[in-house]
Structure formats: structure tokens, C-alpha cells
Amino acid sequence: MIDFDPFPGDVPGDLPPSPPDSGIDVPAHLDVLPDGRETLVIGDVAGLAELAHRQGEVPEFQGTCGICSCEGVLRRFGVEVSERDLVEHAVTNGLCEVTGNPDTSGATTMEGQARILGDFGVPAHVEYGHSLEDLAANVEHGRGIIIAANAGELWQDPDSWEGGRPNHAVTVTGVARDPSDGSVEGFFVNDSGTGEAGKFVDAATMEAAWLQAGGRSVVTDVTSPVGPR
Amino acid sequence: MATAVGFIPYATIQEEFSQHALRSAEVPVEHYVSAPLPTLRWGTPAYAVFICPAARVRGMPPRLDAPDRWWAISAESRRSLVYALTKAVPYTPEPLTGPVVLSPTGRSLAALKEDARVLGELLDEAVPGFFRGEAVAAELREDLAAQLRAVLPGEVWPWHRALTPDLFAWLEGADHA
């Protein structure tokens, strides 16, 4: 655990003074959000962004947002695998869909994603979050996280909204907190569907995209403070 | 929690389909899960969805394969009544043809959410009568039918009709009992 005071200076007594639980186990630094606000970025967002890529490396399996998310989590923990490696493993073990249509083949369940991670030595489980603080706590403890999100909210794309139900998997790599009061301002995600890495998602959007879509995550049982160097 | 009239509110039913353990264990994240619709086809009040493989690209409407599974939850207890793969237990004897590409919504996210909210209100108002076989005002049925046409993509309308035929017959004025 690093020796770091996430909220230097005076903190108003009527505001939450710090993140919940026992503290922060990942790097943190002050930065500026896209809208110009100063923020405290918690997590190795830049390092983990280097692990991201757009899905679809295997032509016959294009529906692989869950598998690419697993790849990102495994590589964070030093397991050198490719999207192709994981597709082959998932097909062999019945952990992804083989529909006969390349566009929709490769899809995975949350439990299947947890099993893929475990098969490659990174045990994980599915859990339900009840607040953005639950998600932030997992980031701050250095856990690998895959969320079941609504792509319409995440992409601000009405055509992918589908009633707000979960329909897309992304990894969460960092959290942004207000330096003055510690409140969650948003999260950083790697999204294989768009190829965006370290993309900032504000708190309101994440609430709609993840919490209101069921709040389900695949969370590793083990931690790693930073991505591989 | 069931309402005073004994049926679970539509918003809660929607949450159940998103949060149920079956969703994590059996249904791929990427799959399209339809809007839950009420039905009595299994002899007890229920909400049913069809589920199909889906491909999405930002800025483009989803492309859906024909449903490969379906699922019904009790409208009284939230317990799953049935979950099946269509290749093992088809929900209709007619073939479900696909893939289909949904038409662009042409609506903002805010407008879609408002449409969905109104649909939920109409279902909560009309469905107890449907489930009990009681008379429901024709105007309410017409409003519900119109809102379903506004919210449900036209390309998947046949898949909905095949899954909850009694609802559509009722909306069109036939007695489902």
C-alpha cells in the first residue's frame, strides 16, 4: 500500500472525509477532467490503457467485449494472453457463444468471465454493487473489474439503449474524486467496443450505465496496484 | 414487493430480469433481452422476455439474430417460472426468422426513457385487469397498445407476439380467458 494522503488540506467536517473502507492501494495523482475541473485520479489509468484494444482480432468471433475485458484484467496481473488465446479457451470449454454468425459469436456470461479469469490463475467472482462507492472501493483496492453496462448510456447512443438493460462489458481502471470532498466524479474505462482506453465516464453516466442496469461486476479476488511495467 | 392489488410493479420486474442470478450465470452480457411483457400462457401471471444474440456498433442500430432463449418470471413472487433455449424448447411452433437490423430510434435518450416510463405506468394500470380477466377500459387498452408500438422495435414485434400471444389478443379486443 502506498503512503498517500488522498485529501490533503482541510476537509469540511460535514463532507465525507475520505473514501470508504481502509484506504487506497493504487497510484493516485491530481489531474484535470475533460470539463476543466481539477480531480484526483485513483488507479493506474495510463498503464492499464496500454493493455486495451478494439475487439474483433478473431474474424469468426466479433462479439467479444467480455473476452477482451478478461484479456485486459489478465494482462494487468501479468498473464500474457491474447484475444485469440481466450477465444480458443472459451470455445473449447463452452464459455462463449458460437452462433454461426461471426458478428454475434464470442459473447460471454458474467459467470463465464469469472471462470475464464480463474482458469488463467486470477480468481474472480460476480458481485452486485449498490452504489458508485462500491465500485470505487474495488478500484481503490487494486482489483480487476469488469462491469455489465448499458452501451446506450455509456456511448450516449440511443440506438444501443434497449431499455437501459445491460448489454456490454468494459473494464474499469480508475476513479476520479473531487479533491476537496472526496465525492466520486466519475470513472475511467477501457472499452473494446469502441477501442477507447482510459475513457472518462462521469458519475451520472456511470450510475445510469452500470448501477441502474443491475450493478453487476466481475471482480478479482486478488489485487494489483498497477498494470505490468 | 407486490402492489396492493397483488402484482409486482413493472419497474421491479425489469430490475429482476437485470439482477437475477440467471442473468449472470446463463445469459451472455452482449445478448439483447427484450422488454418484459405480461402473459398468462403458463396459467399464472407472468412476465416473459425473449433473448437473442446481438451485435452493436456505436452509432448504428443493433443487429439481432433470432431468439435463442426465453425466460418468464412470476408477476406475483418474482420467481423464475421457465427458462429455456429455443433449440430445446421453442416458444412457438413457427420458425423465428432472423437476423434483423433494428431501425434507428430517431429519438434522444431522454425521449426513449420517457416513452419507457409511460409504458411502465400503463402496464401497471392495465395489467391487473388483464391478469384477473376483468374488464379494462377500451381507452386504456388502446393507449397501452399504442405505447407498445412506440417502444417495441417493429422488427421484433413478431417475436413478441409469438411469446405473449394472449396479451396481443387481449389488446386487440379478444377475451384471453
Side-chain angles (χ1 to χ4, degrees), chain A residues 122-196:
Chain A
V122 179
H125 61 278
V126 177
E127 65 178 45
Y128 291 80
H130 301 287
S131 71
L132 295 185
E133 285 292 353
D134 290 342
L135 185 59
N138 280 327
V139 172
E140 289 162 349
H141 283 97
R143 300 188 188 281
I145 306 161
I146 302 169
I147 59 170
N150 175 261
E153 296 283 1
L154 206 58
W155 299 341
Q156 292 296 289
D157 176 11
D159 288 334
S160 296
W161 187 62
E162 300 169 15
R165 293 175 279 277
N167 56 14
H168 187 43
V170 299
T171 58
V172 181
T173 60
V175 56
R177 287 189 181 273
D178 186 321
S180 64
D181 64 14
S183 62
V184 173
E185 295 180 309
F187 293 85
F188 296 89
V189 303
N190 289 348
D191 184 345
S192 65
T194 62
E196 293 170 304

Side-chain angles (χ1 to χ4, degrees), chain A residues 43-118:
Chain A
D44 184 18
V45 176
L48 296 173
E50 294 175 11
L51 307 179
H53 64 87
R54 190 163 193 150
Q55 69 194 60
E57 288 184 348
V58 184
E60 302 85 1
F61 293 85
Q62 296 290 303
T64 52
C65 59
I67 282 178
C68 285
S69 296
C70 289
E71 178 192 354
V73 170
L74 289 170
R75 293 183 64 198
R76 170 193 184 131
F77 286 90
V79 182
E80 276 307 314
V81 291
S82 66
E83 181 179 347
R84 178 175 291 277
D85 294 334
L86 295 185
V87 167
E88 290 175 355
H89 178 80
V91 170
T92 301
N93 293 279
L95 294 172
C96 76
E97 295 295 306
V98 183
T99 66
N101 175 356
D103 290 341
T104 55
S105 287
T108 47
T109 66
M110 300 293 279
E111 294 287 354
Q113 292 162 22
R115 189 172 148 197
I116 289 170
L117 295 177

